[in-house]
Amino acid sequence: RKEVEQDPGPFNVPEGATVAFNCTYSNSASQSFFWYRQDCRKEPKLLMSVYSSGNEDGRFTAQLNRASQYISLLIRDSKLSDSATYLCVVLSTDSWGKLQFGAGTQVVVTP
Amino acid sequence: EPEVTQTPSHQVTQMGQEVILRCVPISNHLYFYWYRQILGQKVEFLVSFYNNEISEKSEIFDDQFSVERPDGSNFTLKIRSTKLEDSAMYFCASSGSSSGANVLTFGAGSRLTVL
């Protein structure tokens, strides 16, 4: 079983619409969770950390469900510039500094 | 905004040759990493480095790989004898205690093509 699983998409989203997608992780000892964004052939860039109580950063909302071992990302009022691959990233307590990346969910925002 | 810089941006090499990829982490960061991404696949951890020694390494990071911090600013990844399957984008990353040791900033990557 993959440590971090994501729906690869693509999610085709009209501009201005809302899109949401999940990520599941297999290691119950995971302690830190992040969403990164990666544009084609570029480096991953931190979008936001994910906190236990859920958190929001502008149009982006992240949720964590430890019982079911998944995290989610919701993008409101999608912009064309939101088109990217969104990487779910997990850090386990026994693997300091060793981030586990999902394969990514592709989002395509269309005019 | 501080950034991690990597050189070269692209290197083409023959199988069996040695390659050194260079990175300049963010100046006040203490933790350094190498990750790689084979085309079309996920980002994979290679190695973490702190206090001038390897903290953790993955099974990918075998004896052909080594890392070094030769001075106060550079952090290098050496592949001693490249194989075709080493072709990938190699990302250097760093993190610091003030921003959170687990909040990594990645460089733009070095694309390695092994022929």
Side-chain angles (χ1 to χ4, degrees), chain A residues 36 38 43 91 96-97 99, chain B residues 31 35 37 45 102 104 107 111:
Chain A
Y36 276 74
Q38 186 174 34
E43 75 273 23
L91 177 71
W96 174 83
L99 300 179
Chain B
Y31 308 88
Y35 284 76
Q37 186 175 30
F45 170 83
N102 293 320
L104 276 59
R111 180 168 299 282

Side-chain angles (χ1 to χ4, degrees), chain B residues 33-52:
Chain B
Y33 313 86
W34 284 100
Y35 284 76
R36 80 169 187 192
Q37 186 175 30
I38 295 171
L39 188 63
Q41 299 187 23
K42 66 178 183 178
V43 178
E44 300 175 289
F45 170 83
L46 292 179
V47 64
S48 57
F49 191 88
Y50 171 70
N51 202 25
N52 284 318

Side-chain angles (χ1 to χ4, degrees), chain A residues 5 12 21 25 31 35 49 66 82 92 96 99 102 107:
Chain A
E5 290 205 56
N12 294 298
F21 41 89
Y25 60 95
Q31 66 161 355
W35 283 104
S49 301
R66 284 191 185 271
D82 293 334
S92 300
W96 174 83
L99 300 179
V107 171

Side-chain angles (χ1 to χ4, degrees), chain B residues 1-114:
Chain B
E1 186 177 329
E3 59 180 27
V4 175
T5 56
Q6 291 187 240
T7 55
S9 56
H10 188 193
Q11 181 157 355
V12 182
T13 190
Q14 295 289 326
M15 192 168 57
Q17 295 297 304
E18 177 183 282
V19 159
I20 297 177
L21 305 179
R22 292 183 167 79
C23 169
V24 179
I26 293 173
S27 61
N28 62 348
H29 281 183
L30 303 175
Y31 308 88
F32 314 114
Y33 313 86
W34 284 100
Y35 284 76
R36 80 169 187 192
Q37 186 175 30
I38 295 171
L39 188 63
Q41 299 187 23
K42 66 178 183 178
V43 178
E44 300 175 289
F45 170 83
L46 292 179
V47 64
S48 57
F49 191 88
Y50 171 70
N51 202 25
N52 284 318
E53 60 182 27
I54 290 174
S55 303
E56 188 162 357
K57 58 184 181 180
S58 71
E59 54 276 9
I60 302 169
F61 195 89
D62 61 22
D63 292 344
Q64 294 298 315
F65 291 87
S66 62
V67 289
E68 195 177 37
R69 187 155 164 83
D71 53 43
S73 59
N74 290 286
F75 179 52
T76 61
L77 174 70
K78 182 193 291 187
I79 309 174
R80 190 162 34 172
S81 177
T82 49
K83 308 185 202 53
L84 295 176
E85 54 265 35
D86 293 329
S87 294
M89 181 74 96
Y90 288 81
F91 293 109
C92 175
S94 68
S95 63
S97 55
S98 59
S99 61
N102 293 320
V103 178
L104 276 59
T105 300
F106 285 82
S110 293
R111 180 168 299 282
L112 176 64
T113 302
V114 182

Side-chain angles (χ1 to χ4, degrees), chain A residues 34-87:
Chain A
F34 310 90
W35 283 104
Y36 276 74
R37 160 195 178 126
Q38 186 174 34
D39 294 293
C40 189
R41 294 179 176 261
K42 301 284 189 182
E43 75 273 23
K45 290 186 177 178
L46 179 67
L47 180 66
M48 58 196 301
S49 301
V50 186
Y51 302 121
S52 296
S53 54
N55 49 300
E56 197 173 293
D57 184 358
R59 298 181 293 107
F60 298 85
T61 301
Q63 296 281 348
L64 167 63
N65 185 318
R66 284 191 185 271
S68 301
Q69 293 183 205
Y70 76 83
I71 68 174
S72 63
L73 181 66
L74 181 146
I75 307 173
R76 281 189 306 279
D77 187 23
S78 299
K79 311 289 184 197
L80 296 176
S81 57
D82 293 334
S83 296
T85 298
Y86 291 84
L87 308 177

